[in-house]
Amino acid sequence: MATTGLPNWPWSNAEADALPPAERLAIDATRAWAAAARRGEPALLALRHLLSTEDAGAAAEPLDALLRTLAQHPLTVGCPLCPRLVGEEPALLLAMACAQRGPRREALAFLLRRLPPPQAYAATAAAIAFGCAFRRAGLRLGDPWSN
């Protein structure tokens, strides 16, 4: 699947408050992870704390692994109070949704835009584990192409 030249990336410039609950939780957790990492605090604990509020604590470790892999290269994530999605957040949501919903080769394609192949494969595995944990918690990411 070609990932360049898409006329409109799903969730590009979307308002964080307008996201469906599962996507909002994923973005809030990502932002909490980034904020804790910037402060030099344990980022995994920030994830666990936030995800546990929705009984999705099992998703903390896979999300931490995904974000650590992505952070090996410059990663732009909004602050916890940013009103809109910024930087890599739309593409990250897209990769997470594809990994959870089944078109995993598309998730890999989006991750390959940012990472070399070995790291992209590792990130895809983490995204799949995250999606499975989210689904077990009753959180299903939406179809990014349905809009």
Side-chain angles (χ1 to χ4, degrees):
M1 172 181 176
T3 60
T4 57
L6 288 174
N8 190 11
W9 277 80
W11 297 300
S12 291
N13 205 30
E15 290 184 25
D17 288 339
L19 291 173
E23 285 79 359
R24 180 61 197 247
L25 180 60
I27 287 300
D28 286 347
T30 298
R31 289 175 172 183
W33 181 91
R38 282 191 291 265
R39 291 189 305 265
E41 297 172 2
L44 180 57
L45 292 179
L47 284 179
R48 266 203 194 111
H49 177 73
L50 183 60
L51 293 172
S52 293
T53 63
E54 296 294 329
D55 294 327
E61 288 188 29
L63 183 56
D64 179 61
L66 173 61
L67 295 173
R68 284 183 189 277
T69 302
L70 287 168
Q72 292 176 11
H73 301 276
L75 178 65
T76 304
V77 175
C79 70
L81 299 177
C82 283
R84 296 193 171 278
L85 297 185
V86 298
E88 281 78 38
E89 291 174 339
L92 179 59
L93 273 180
L94 188 57
M96 289 175 177
C98 287
Q100 184 189 50
R101 298 183 63 82
R104 294 174 177 161
R105 69 177 180 264
E106 282 86 352
L108 175 62
F110 295 118
L111 293 167
L112 281 168
R113 294 185 75 231
R114 293 207 17 85
L115 300 168
Q119 293 171 342
Y121 280 104
T124 302
I128 292 168
F130 169 78
C132 290
F134 241 41
R135 182 172 287 168
R136 282 192 302 273
L139 297 163
R140 185 168 173 138
L141 298 167
D143 181 359
W145 309 113
S146 68
N147 292 338

